Amino acid sequence: QGAVEVAIELNSLSKTFNMAGWRVGMAVGKPEFLDAVLKVKSNMDSGMFLGIQKGAVVALALGADWFDQQYKVYSKRRELIWQLADLLGCTYDRKGVGLFVWAKLPEGSDAESLIDDWLYHYHVFITPGIIFGSNGKGYIRFSLCVTEEKIKEVIQRFAT
């Protein structure tokens, strides 16, 4: 209650609508606050490509069926990533949500050395958690934006 008097709410279509990197979102708030944002924004760039704007309009009109389908896609990918993490001897939280699975490497493992080894021997790159800050030390991060087929291929590479 009353937030519109003191705050601007920002939202992005990046993760929710698979538009990461497109830099499309919205701001809601008091008109004078939004005017100030627009003044700064108009001096930073000349606007967003019309095709991206049209894509955002379509995305915002999607119904619950689309979200249900996306949930199924990411759930299947998550299950496969868990298989891969198990294969690599990692632990992870099965209650985690989002587009990434964070996995703790076996005790005493050095993420950077492992990742180099995996890259050279299996031709697979898995993101070391440390690049996201010191709390990521000892972890790796898997993206669920990779297709099921690619995840299965990676599992196969490590399994053989």
Side-chain angles (χ1 to χ4, degrees):
Q1 190 71 13
V4 73
E5 297 302 319
V6 296
I8 298 173
E9 181 176 340
L10 303 172
N11 205 331
S12 165
L13 278 69
S14 293
K15 305 293 190 294
T16 307
F17 295 97
N18 292 331
M19 296 178 78
W22 292 20
R23 304 292 184 247
V24 62
M26 65 214 75
V28 180
K30 202 173 183 178
E32 51 267 32
F33 293 170
L34 295 176
D35 286 344
V37 169
L38 289 173
K39 186 178 288 185
V40 171
K41 176 95 172 96
S42 68
N43 286 299
M44 291 176 61
D45 59 46
S46 58
M48 182 175 290
F49 174 60
L50 183 60
I52 292 174
Q53 293 180 51
K54 288 182 176 187
V57 169
V58 170
L60 290 169
L62 293 170
D65 290 347
W66 185 83
F67 290 100
D68 292 341
Q69 179 59 32
Q70 290 302 301
Y71 177 78
K72 289 175 187 172
V73 167
Y74 287 113
S75 293
K76 288 179 186 176
R77 292 175 183 176
R78 186 175 288 107
E79 289 281 341
L80 289 169
I81 289 295
W82 289 340
Q83 285 180 32
L84 177 57
D86 289 340
L87 190 61
L88 298 174
C90 297
T91 55
Y92 48 88
D93 181 4
R94 284 189 171 256
K95 294 178 185 166
V97 296
L99 294 178
F100 305 100
V101 171
W102 283 85
K104 185 164 181 50
L105 292 166
E107 200 61 42
S109 297
D110 175 53
E112 291 83 2
S113 296
L114 278 175
I115 287 163
D116 278 349
D117 182 58
W118 296 338
L119 181 60
Y120 292 111
H121 290 95
Y122 301 101
H123 306 287
V124 172
F125 178 78
I126 300 172
T127 309
I130 193 72
I131 69 168
F132 300 102
S134 60
N135 287 339
K137 185 174 176 61
Y139 288 84
I140 52 179
R141 189 185 84 165
F142 298 95
S143 172
L144 299 180
C145 296
V146 179
T147 65
E148 281 183 58
E149 294 74 23
K150 282 290 180 192
I151 300 169
K152 288 177 183 176
E153 180 183 328
V154 170
I155 290 170
Q156 195 61 33
R157 287 182 191 183
F158 279 100
T160 55

